[in-house]
């Protein structure tokens, strides 16, 4: 940890830069994820709000689209079907960056996982 409680190398591997691009077009926030820290944990530590629900990868409330970089999920992301993962969707509550990343975040992103027959 850095001297001010900021990013640092607290464990295995270096910290990673995360660019969180708002799906509603309201801007981009950059935060740093410490080693073994999830995207959600890094955002919360930086006082940046992104949606979340269960924190276990089961509800999909925290779905984000990975635009660049790589992540590893701490456990099986049960809320994502294989086609969603192949399309680049990740669950920020269990996704640990393994490189610098750019992600599209916000409540609208989770809505992209399901089709609405009433539209």
């Amino acid at each position: 940890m850095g001297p001010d409680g900021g990013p640092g190398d607290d464990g295995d591997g270096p910290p990673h830069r995360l660019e969180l691009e708002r799906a509603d077009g309201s801007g981009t926030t950059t935060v740093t994820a410490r080693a073994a820290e999830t995207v959600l944990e890094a955002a919360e530590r930086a006082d940046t709000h992104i949606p979340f629900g269960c924190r276990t990868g089961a509800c999909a409330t925290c779905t984000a689209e990975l635009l660049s970089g790589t992540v590893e999920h701490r456990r099986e992301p049960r809320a994502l079907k294989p086609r969603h993962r192949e399309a680049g969707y990740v669950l920020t509550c269990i996704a640990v960056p393994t490189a610098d990343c750019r992600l599209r975040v916000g409540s609208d992103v989770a809505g992209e996982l399901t089709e609405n027959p009433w539209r």
Side-chain angles (χ1 to χ4, degrees):
M1 179 182 322
D4 60 353
D9 188 359
D10 288 335
D12 298 332
H16 296 293
R17 176 186 165 102
L18 307 178
E19 293 182 34
L20 306 175
E21 179 181 309
R22 301 285 171 187
D24 65 4
S26 63
T28 300
T29 303
T30 301
V31 302
T32 301
R34 297 174 179 155
E37 188 174 48
T38 67
V39 173
L40 177 61
E41 291 166 344
E44 288 181 324
R45 187 173 40 72
D47 288 329
T48 298
H49 175 75
I50 57 175
F52 69 92
C54 68
R55 294 184 179 269
T56 64
C59 76
T61 302
C62 66
T63 300
E65 181 181 11
L66 183 63
L67 302 173
S68 66
T70 56
V71 301
E72 290 182 0
H73 287 106
R74 282 184 175 166
R75 63 177 65 90
E76 181 67 24
R78 293 176 289 164
L80 296 179
K81 296 180 177 176
R83 65 184 161 93
H84 298 141
R85 294 176 69 179
E86 290 169 9
Y89 291 101
V90 300
L91 300 177
T92 63
C93 71
I94 59 171
V96 177
T98 55
D100 292 350
C101 295
R102 190 165 62 97
L103 299 108
R104 194 168 60 87
V105 299
S107 58
D108 293 344
V109 179
E112 297 170 5
L113 300 181
T114 58
E115 294 181 26
N116 182 345
W118 308 110
R119 285 187 187 179

